Amino acid sequence: MTHYPKPSPSTTTLPLDPQRNISTYGYTQAKALVYPKHGSPADVLNLHTHSISPPHSNHITLRTLAAPLNPSDINQIQGTYPTAPPFTQDLGTAQTSAVPGNEACFEVLAAGSACTNVTKGDWVIPRRTGL
């Protein structure tokens, strides 16, 4: 991740809901668009809800601020783009699935104890493609 300091409130305001959904067990509730196989986005994309445990070690919890939809993202879902995210069950999906996308801007919600380059509130972008 590339680290960028959070812009001052006087220069940027975003209509974000500051409330996070946290379950009774302390896990953050999250949603992700996933696809279990390549194909037409209308046919294969699903909204998956899952829980994220608090970060530990060098892990961080991120909140998506912006993620564009580009032609390359559609091609990735169709299986025609040169790079593709891995199909895994890391998000707890019933079948192996992938999360499409190559670009986004995130806010750090929490950082594990071994994270020294980012802190809560920082804005970051991915260093590599394939979210």
Side-chain angles (χ1 to χ4, degrees), residues 23-99:
S23 75
T24 57
Y25 299 106
Y27 294 96
T28 299
Q29 300 300 299
K31 295 180 181 177
L33 277 177
V34 298
Y35 60 102
K37 61 182 178 180
H38 295 293
S40 170
D43 296 333
V44 298
L45 281 177
N46 300 300
L47 184 61
H48 175 67
T49 301
H50 61 283
S51 297
I52 302 173
S53 60
H56 58 86
S57 183
N58 63 344
H59 294 186
I60 56 177
T61 301
L62 302 173
R63 173 172 147 179
T64 305
L65 299 175
L69 182 61
N70 296 312
S72 61
D73 300 321
I74 301 299
N75 293 148
Q76 205 175 54
I77 296 165
Q78 294 168 330
T80 60
Y81 197 69
T83 62
F87 285 84
T88 70
Q89 289 183 302
D90 289 348
L91 298 179
T93 53
Q95 52 189 318
T96 58
S97 297
V99 177

